[in-house]
Every structure is written in C-alpha cells, then in structure tokens.
Amino acid sequence: MQDDRQPILSVRNLKTSFFTDEGIVRAVDGASFDVHLGQTLGIVGESGCGKSVTALSILGIVPRPGRIVEGEILLRREPEDGQAHEIALTSLGDSSREMRSIRGAEIALVFQEPMTSLSPVHTIGNQIIGAARLHRNLTRREAGELAVELLSLVGIPRAEAAIDAYPFQLSGGLRQRALIALALSCEPRILIADEPTTALDVTTQAQILDLLRSLQEQNGMAIMLITHDMGVIAEMADQVVVMYLGRVVEEGPVETVFGESKHPYTQSLLRSIPSIHSTPKVQLPTITGTIPHPYNRPAGCPFHPRCPDVIPGVCDKHEPELHSVGDEHLVSCFLYHPVPETIS
Amino acid sequence: MENEQVLLEVKGLRKFFPIRKGFWQRAVGHVRAVDGIDFHVYKGETFGIVGESGCGKTTASRCIVRALQPTAGEIHFRVNDGEMTDVANLSRDELQPLRRHMQMIFQDPFSSLNPRMTLFDIIGEPLLVNGVADRRQRIERVEELLALVGLRPEFLQRFPHAFSGGQRQRIGIARALALNPSLIVADEPVSALDVSVQAQILNLLLELQERLGLTYLFVAHDLSVVKHICDRVAVMYVGRVVETAQTQQLFESPKHPYTEALLSAVPQPDPTLRSQRIILEGEVADPANPPSGCYFHPRCRYAVDLCREQTPELEEVEPGHAVSCHRALELDLAGTLDAPIPQTAHS
Amino acid sequence: MAEEHTIADGEERIFVAGQMQLMWWRFRKHRVAVAATFVVVAFYLVVLGADFLAYTNPNTTEAYRSLMPPQPVRFFDSGRFSPHVYAVAGKRDLKTFKRVYVADPDQKLPVRLFVRGYKYKLLGFIPTDRHLIGVEGATAAESLFLLGTDEKGRDVWSRMMVATRTSLTIGLVAVALSLVLGVLLGGISGFYGGPIDSAIQRLIEILRSIPTIPLWMGMAAAFPREWSVEQIYFAITIVIALRGWTGLAREVRGRFLSLREEDFVTAADLAGCSRKRIIFRHMIPSFQSHIIAAATLSVPAMILAETALSYLGLGLRPPAISWGVMLQQAQNVEAVALSPWLLISAVPVIVVTLAFNFMGDGLRDAADPYGV
C-alpha cells in the first residue's frame, strides 16, 4: 500500500524570487513536498515565510516582479488506460491553454478573503455556472442544477434562493462557503486553501474546517492547507511542512511534527503558543528577536540569529539541507546532519 | 479574593449606533452594539471580555475609556483609591483630568501610531498635554518607558516605520504607560501579531502588571490567550454578557451553551486532541434586528420554547459565576479542561 | 565589515527620516514628475520676470506694424557668431490691400542681451529699463518681432510674457481661494458631521450640478463695465474658485472622516489632547500632502477656466493681457489662415497644463510614503 501510493502533486526544490527595485526577495527558497489524494498537507509558518507564494507558484500565478527561478512542480494524471503520467507545471507557460485548464479544473484555490475573490457584480449562481461550463461540458441547465447542489453541499441554507444572491448579501462565513462551492465546481483533485479561515470567527472556522473535512471524505481530493495557525494544522493536516523565511525547516506526519519536533524553530514556536491546557499567568517561552525583513535575510540558516541552539561558525555560514531523521520526517538543521565539508 | 477593591464597575452599559438613510440622514433603526452589560473589575486583576466579531466587545471597551459616548448606563471608576466616579456622562473638559488613569492598547500596531511623529513625540505626547512641559524631563521619562517595554532608548528619534509589528506594539504599550494609569484597556493587543511575537507581548503584559500593579481589561477573541492571561472572563454574544466567571471555572464548567460551543471550537495545537467539535448551526444574530427571547436560541441545541419567548437575565449560579440562560442549572455542559491533559511532548 | 556599517547607516537614515524626506525620496523616483516640476518652475520664473523677458511694451499699438509674421534671428554673420535680425520695411500691397513686410538683408541689426528698453518695475518695486534682449542702434519696438505682431501691431512675444504672468497667477490665486474655502468647509463638514455635514454636502452637490459656462456667463455679465482691470481680475478668480472649492472640500471631508476612526487619533484623544491639538498636530499633517497634491492637480483646471472665459470674452478684457485674451484674436478662420502665429499662445496653455498634471501625479503618488 505504501509503495504504490504515488503523490498527485510533487514540488521539488521550488525557488520563487521577487526582483524588486530594492533587491531580490527569495520568497520561496528550495521547497520540496508531496501532496497525496485523500490527504491534507498543511503548510504552516509566520508572515514572510513563503507559504502563500508557494501556492501561487503551483498555480502559475506569481505576480510580477516575481517568478519561479528553479525547481519542478509535477502533477500526476491518471488517464483511462491506467498508465499514469506526470506533467511538469513549471514547463508550461503561466497563461498557456493547458495551464489555464489545469488551474481551476484540476487544482482549485480558496483564498483568505472571500469578498475579493468573488466578483461583486455577478450572482453566486452565475459565477459557479460560468466556472463549471468553462471547464466542463455542461448545458446551462445542468450547470444550474450543479450550482444548487454544490451550494447545499457546502451548507448554504436555501440554496435555490442563494444562487441569485450577490456576494455582499452573504455573511463572511457564507461567502467563504460560496467560494468553496465555486472551487469545487470543476471537481478539482487538489484544493489549495490559503488561510481559508483566518478572517472568520472561531465558531465559523469550526464550521468551515468541518466542511472541508467532510468534503474530502466524500470525494477524496487532496487538500493543501496554508495557515499560520498551529491549531488549525493540528486539527486538519495529515502531513505538515513548516516554513521559515522561504525555507522548509521541518516536514513530516502531523503527530511527529507536533509530538517529536526536531527543528529548534518548530520546537520554540510550539512552546510559545499559549494553550488552554498550559499553566496560566506564567511567562511563555519565546523566540527572541523578530522575523527579519525578507530583504535582509540572514546568511546561512535563516533562523540562526534567533535560534537557541545555534552552532557559531556553522549555522551562520552554511545553509542546512533537509535530512531524514525518522520515518518520513525531514529536518533542515545542522544539529541533525553533518556540516558540509568546507572548502575554506 | 473577597476583600479586593473594585476599580471599575459597569452597570447597564448600552451603545446603539443609528442606521441612517435618505436625503436628511434620518435614523431608521439602531444597531444595538452593546445592549446592557454589567460587570466589575477588581484592582490588580486581568478581566477578559471574549466573543466573536460583532459581539460588541470592542465597542464596550471604547465606551469605557470614553472614546465613544455610551447611549446609556453607568461607568464607575475609582481614581487614586478614592471614591468611585461615574465617568459615563462627563463632558470632555470634566473627563480631561481623569483620562490619565485609564489608557488603551490598540489592536493594529500600524494605525495606532502616527507615522509622522517620532517615538519621542508619540510617547511623550501624553506627558506634554498633561503638564510635563520640560523637554529634558520628557526625554528622560520616554527613555525610561522605552527601556521598560524592552526597546533601546536610543530609538527616540526614529519614526514608527523603522519598526516591526511587535516592536510597534511595544511602543503603543509605552505610550499607554506614560501617565502611570491604573487601568489599561487592551483591545486585542496580540491578534495582529505573528505567533512567535505574540508570546513576547503577552509576557511583557504579564511582567508589567506585576511590576506596576496594573489592572487590565483584556478584550480578545482568542480563548487560549484569554485563558493564559485573565483572572476572570465575561463572554459576550450580540451585545450582551452571557456568562461571567473565574477563568478556571469558565473553562472547566461553562454554564452557557454558547460558551460551551466557543470553547469546543478552538483548535488546539496538538493533533492528539482532535475531538468531536460542537459545530454551531447558522449565523451570528444581526444586532440591528436581534431574535426574540434569548439571542442565542436559534443556534442553541438546548433551546426550549421558553428561550424563544423570554429574555434570560444574567444571574449568579455559583459564587462569582453568573449566566444568562434559562436552563443554566439543568444542563451539564462540557468544558475543555476535563479532556485528558496531554503529555507535553517537549519539556 | 565596512560594508555592513554603511548598510546599517543607510537604514538608520531611513528610520529617522521624516515625512517630507520620505516624500522627496519617493517623488525623486518619478522622473516625469521631476521634469514637469522643472517646467512649472520655469513658467513661474517667467511670471517673476515677465517685463524683463519682454522687450516691447505689450500695449504699444502701431498700425504700420500690424500682423507682422515671426522674424528669424540669424546667429552667424559671415562665419562669425553675431546674432542679428534684418530690418523690416512694410508697405501695402495695392492689389490685396494687405500689408506686406520685406526684410532688408543689408540692414543688420545686432541682437544684444541686457539692453535698455521701456521702463518697468522689476518684481513690482525695482524701477529699471533693462530687458533680457533688445537690438543695438534701434528701438526694439520698431525692429524686433520674434513671434510676429497682432492686428494692432503689438509684439506677440512681449505680450505672451505678460500674459503668462496674468494667467498663471490667476490660477494660483483661484486655487488658494478654493483651498481656503475647501479646507474650511470640508473640515467643518468632516469634523462635526451631522446636519452641518448634510447641509454642506447638499450645497456642494447643487454647485456641482450647475453647468459651468452659463454660471460663469451670468456672473461675468454682472461685472460692472466701469470696473478696473484689477477689479475684474479679482472678480474672475472668485468666480472660478467658487466652483473649484467643491472638489477640494470633498477631499478634505473624506480625509477627516477616515482619520477620525484612526487609532492614533483615538489614542491622542485618550491622552487628553485638546481638539485643537488633535486637528492641527495629528489630522491636518496626515492629509496636508494629499491636499497639496490635489491643489496642484486643480491648478491647470483653473488656468483653463480663465483661458476659456477670456477667450469667450467673458473674463479679462483688454487692456488686460492673458492667454485667453490673446487667443480671442485667433477666433476666426481668416485670422488663423492668414496669421497662424496668433495661435502661439495656445502652446503654453497646453505645456503648463500637462506639466501641472504630471507634477500633481508625482506628488499624489509620493504623498503617502507610508502606504506600500
């Protein structure tokens, strides 16, 4: 079972940079991970860690002046004859016909702010019908039925009436549901959700997370969940990728990353979060300093100036690579792998 | 606990915003943002107000510091351990000498600092307008305050754009402390910050409270943060307090169904704790047009006919634990602390 | 190591940079706006030294020199640099009864700098008769016609210099007036809100809905004939400003409304700042740069308004000279066909309008250096 479990999407050594007037920002600097059908991959990190740019790179919609400078993004397709084949998304042009048909149809995106991702001048129903007919061969009537079906699937009450509603007539939670319905209209196999619940309240967040989970159970799609909230990751993800300043610092199964985290960043981040179960009113362990601005990323391991376990002369000189430290558990830290032979 | 002095007492506080329409902007209705809330805060404690967006917690906090004029109600505040004064209806001039005792920390570290002023001008302004005319004296005090919040005193002449979100929040805290207030109203002070910076600011707030004997009114939506920092908590829903209790009590044995759902909805950063969440149906009620009876009844899984008809009052069910629910005494609701305490993986 | 230091120093420079500094850094990046600023400055230098740049009294009429075409300046005389013009003699063509002008290549009149000419007051108070250019051995009025003359034989170049002064100051005065009105009424509207706000907003809507030209015509018709040039000039600025303030007032009101909600304003309130201090220390500095940009962008509209009014004969009237007054002469097809140089005063109108717009765009972009 383990052996033939092929990933549907593989990202290999992805590097995306922004070439601005002030300098080059290496937003994503060598990210590698796999996404499997029926599973949720969580990408977690703080601001500037490159988690959103990773999503944009996969969809080929990195805004100017950014572009993918290196790496591969492989999408696995399974045609009728049972013979799987892979397409390298990075080799397709961003606005090529093929990329456009993949975007939305095979990989769909749900953004943080539903109000800006939905068109304000079209009804919810028309937006879903339009998207469905663009990628699937449906008549208008069929697409309309599909829209009602999808809206009730995502839990919008009175779906027949809701298809005629404009986005501003819905509350934040309902808009996010409508956006998910829109993303699902083409039966994507991969759903990328970029901070889907950040703008929502906890009880609404619980509703949306519950919805995503049950949708995944029903249609077996892969979900890539991008968030800064460790709680949401612990709740939802099967696999976790922890990023810091463009680099993947740790990845592995969720129980391992949370239970036996190895990277000093993951460890200190988890410790610094107040939990309902922690002792109240005591000083929390913190990570010293602040996240550096992406323009002045520190040399070597980007976390070394804030790292409690920094090895002077090593961490500030060399960039660590991702190394296996256990079953599917990768860490990029010199505490766990030898220092490269130096030429100096 | 019993003999503690009450620093702030809020009685029947209401704030309605008119909904204006038409050519002459006539009021056609009201958003009942805060709809009659009562609570009191003891000197030296941290009192939390939690609730979801639109529940009126921010409006309430702004009424208390009188950044907004309350529609009705009383706000009694004790100045210098003296008598309680009702500040709800004081005029601008009458309020002026009392302002220095109540200060505020804001949510957004970007909009809360005037980008056109240096740190010295920002932190020194409260001093200047409250009679510290001597520039040298002000410089000394600002340097002292910067050191207090963990910033380097030589940053004096820098502008806010030189600082990150967490550092800006420290500047905001320094400004709030400039006049040695007794009450600090903190409106979501960490929710706009990165996770790793949140802990730093929470630590700073705890440390300052200990050193300066501050009282905090802490407004937040993040229950983990509230649990960590507050002594007592009030839970708000659609402009009303539905439950108030000691933090431990509230988290262990909530008495209001909304509190129960809220507690259960918080995702915990521990995958071993994935549990069956209570998923609330429907949407938060519209404060311009709230439902009859108990505002929570359309979403409440324990609702009975009485809840639809009659509005419950906030009543004490145990010492220090008040709930506004008709069925508070008969329901056995689940808290979060009775879940098995996980072994901390990293210690 | 040394390099690290310079980077840190550079950052410190940004950290302690005030608003004006940041705005300047940002404005400087906007090349077109910087170039446009030079153009605008050049125009205002002309305003300051209009009489100095003119060489003939702009009001001297002479029927013998009517509608003379522009006269070329020759820079070299038999290989030597010696700028000169040919003397021109005019006579009437007996068939067409038009005056024709013939240059006499034998009579070379050297063009010189800083030559004495008609008397004027430099900057309004220094009496002098020096002019930038002139000819040697003859009066400029009789021999120098760089841009030709108009029907009445007045020198177009000299008139244009003086017209620039009128047109550009009228724009500034009108903007200043509407700025005062706009900031005052917009500020009251935004700060107090409520019924006062409603009343002012309705007034603005009414003013904006009245068609401009009839409004101007009505008001211009009300000016008594016997008013002096100065009085008319002033009345015109008021007429233009009366409508111009509405846009600025809306801008100011919007800023006030959004600033009232800013946390730093609330913080100042809680610190115990007086209303006056909040308005003048916190609110106005936050939008003054936007207002400056908006005002800059409205200058060309004012200039165009004056030009249009005067062109239609509703604004300034001779003997006042403005671009509009000059263009009035080019109203008929015959004039344009036979003496196209009369249209030359349209060129500065276009150039200055574009320059103000580009400069205003740059200012607007730089006005908020804190946004991303």
Side-chain angles (χ1 to χ4, degrees), chain B residues 23-25 62 65-67 92 96 99-100 102-104 106-108 111-117 121 125-126 128-130 157-159 161-162 175 179, chain C residues 12 14-19 22 198 202 205 261-264 266-275 277-278 281-282 285-286 289-290 367-370:
Chain B
F23 189 76
W24 292 113
Q25 304 285 300
R62 293 198 174 218
V65 294
R66 286 293 312 275
R92 221 185 139 77
Q96 163 73 21
R99 290 268 198 215
R100 60 184 307 153
M102 276 194 217
Q103 288 293 314
M104 187 156 184
F106 296 88
Q107 171 177 12
D108 181 355
S111 93
S112 64
L113 305 178
N114 188 338
R116 287 153 183 88
M117 287 163 77
D121 288 331
E125 181 168 58
L128 179 69
V129 298
N130 282 280
Q157 291 307 325
R158 288 193 179 183
F159 286 86
H161 63 252
R175 172 178 59 193
L179 296 168
Chain C
E12 186 60 34
I14 295 169
F15 293 161
V16 297
Q19 178 193 8
L22 290 174
S198 290
R202 300 299 88 80
E205 278 153 25
E261 307 298 319
E262 286 283 333
D263 284 343
F264 69 81
T266 309
D269 207 3
L270 296 185
C273 294
S274 62
R275 277 227 172 87
R277 187 178 167 85
I278 291 175
R281 189 82 176 85
H282 290 277
S286 301
S289 46
H290 295 267
D368 195 0
Y370 306 105

Side-chain angles (χ1 to χ4, degrees), chain A residues 46-47 171 201 203 205 207 231 234-235 237 258-259 272 274-276 280-284 286-287 289-291 306, chain B residues 46 52-53 164 194-196 199-200 203 209 224 227-229 231 267-271 274 277 280 282-283 336 345-346:
Chain A
E46 299 178 275
S47 61
S171 71
D201 284 313
T203 56
Q205 167 170 290
Q207 293 174 342
E235 181 81 28
F258 279 80
S272 72
S275 143
I276 283 188
K281 292 241 161 190
V282 293
Q283 293 277 309
L284 293 161
T286 59
I287 308 179
T290 53
I291 304 168
R306 306 177 71 191
Chain B
T46 303
E52 299 181 275
S53 56
S164 68
D194 269 314
V195 186
S196 71
Q200 296 175 357
N203 284 351
Q209 181 168 43
S224 312
K227 169 71 172 45
H228 184 74
I229 201 162
D231 298 295
Q268 288 301 305
D270 188 338
R274 284 186 196 182
R277 308 245 169 256
L280 285 179
E283 302 285 322
T336 50
H346 17 261

Side-chain angles (χ1 to χ4, degrees), chain A residues 107-331:
Chain A
I107 310 177
L109 178 66
V110 176
F111 272 118
Q112 172 177 355
E113 188 20 74
M115 199 58 200
T116 52
S117 340
L118 289 167
S119 159
V121 295
H122 296 105
T123 61
I124 302 285
N126 279 339
Q127 295 186 49
I128 296 176
I129 291 168
R133 292 191 66 200
L134 187 67
H135 293 291
R136 294 163 73 180
N137 197 12
L138 295 176
T139 65
R140 212 186 143 74
R141 172 178 287 266
E142 283 167 344
E145 281 162 11
L146 176 77
V148 175
E149 196 183 309
L150 282 170
L151 288 176
S152 47
L153 179 71
V154 297
I156 292 181
R158 291 180 294 118
E160 293 83 358
I163 60 166
D164 293 324
Y166 288 90
F168 69 87
Q169 291 168 317
L170 303 178
S171 71
L174 286 184
R175 275 204 289 269
Q176 194 59 280
R177 285 167 189 266
L179 193 61
I180 293 172
L182 180 63
L184 293 176
S185 62
C186 306
E187 301 182 318
R189 291 184 302 146
I190 305 170
L191 183 72
I192 302 182
D194 187 357
E195 304 268 9
T197 58
T198 305
L200 306 174
D201 284 313
V202 262
T203 56
T204 321
Q205 167 170 290
Q207 293 174 342
I208 298 292
L209 295 182
D210 190 53
L211 168 68
L212 285 176
R213 217 173 357 217
S214 65
L215 286 172
Q216 187 176 39
E217 269 165 31
Q218 281 174 42
N219 62 17
M221 65 185 171
I223 295 180
M224 215 175 112
L225 181 70
I226 296 170
T227 178
H228 69 280
D229 189 332
M230 283 294 199
V232 172
I233 291 286
E235 181 81 28
M236 295 288 292
D238 300 299
Q239 295 282 320
V240 182
V241 172
V242 185
M243 291 181 78
Y244 183 77
L245 276 183
R247 293 188 65 91
V248 174
V249 295
E250 182 157 8
E251 70 181 271
V254 66
E255 296 84 7
T256 321
V257 170
F258 279 80
E260 303 155 32
S261 55
K262 288 278 194 280
H263 197 283
Y265 174 63
T266 323
Q267 290 176 344
S268 3
L269 194 62
L270 284 170
R271 271 200 294 258
S272 72
I273 302 169
S275 143
I276 283 188
H277 301 282
S278 61
T279 325
K281 292 241 161 190
V282 293
Q283 293 277 309
L284 293 161
T286 59
I287 308 179
T288 50
T290 53
I291 304 168
H293 195 276
Y295 290 132
N296 354 313
R297 203 166 69 157
C301 169
F303 186 59
H304 85 260
R306 306 177 71 191
C307 183
D309 306 319
V310 62
I311 313 169
V314 177
C315 298
D316 50 352
K317 295 251 161 47
H318 309 285
E319 292 201 359
E321 302 281 321
L322 274 175
H323 273 246
S324 174
V325 290
D327 191 23
E328 293 182 57
H329 189 187
L330 304 170
V331 177

Side-chain angles (χ1 to χ4, degrees), chain B residues 141-181:
Chain B
R141 175 72 178 139
V142 172
E143 283 178 345
E144 186 187 314
L145 286 163
L146 283 176
L148 192 65
V149 298
L151 290 171
R152 297 222 300 271
E154 56 272 29
F155 290 164
L156 215 57
Q157 291 307 325
R158 288 193 179 183
F159 286 86
H161 63 252
F163 299 95
S164 68
Q167 289 169 318
R168 281 161 172 256
Q169 205 57 306
R170 288 174 193 268
I171 299 167
I173 294 172
R175 172 178 59 193
L177 293 176
L179 296 168
N180 286 318

Side-chain angles (χ1 to χ4, degrees), chain C residues 216-217 220-221 223 225 232 236 305-318 322 324-325 327-329 331:
Chain C
W216 285 339
M217 284 174 77
F223 300 157
R225 274 274 152 192
I232 299 260
I236 292 290
E306 183 277 327
T307 307
L309 273 178
S310 304
Y311 176 80
L312 293 174
L314 301 168
L316 293 175
R317 288 190 285 259
S322 76
V325 172
L327 280 173
Q328 215 185 340
Q329 295 184 330
Q331 258 177 353

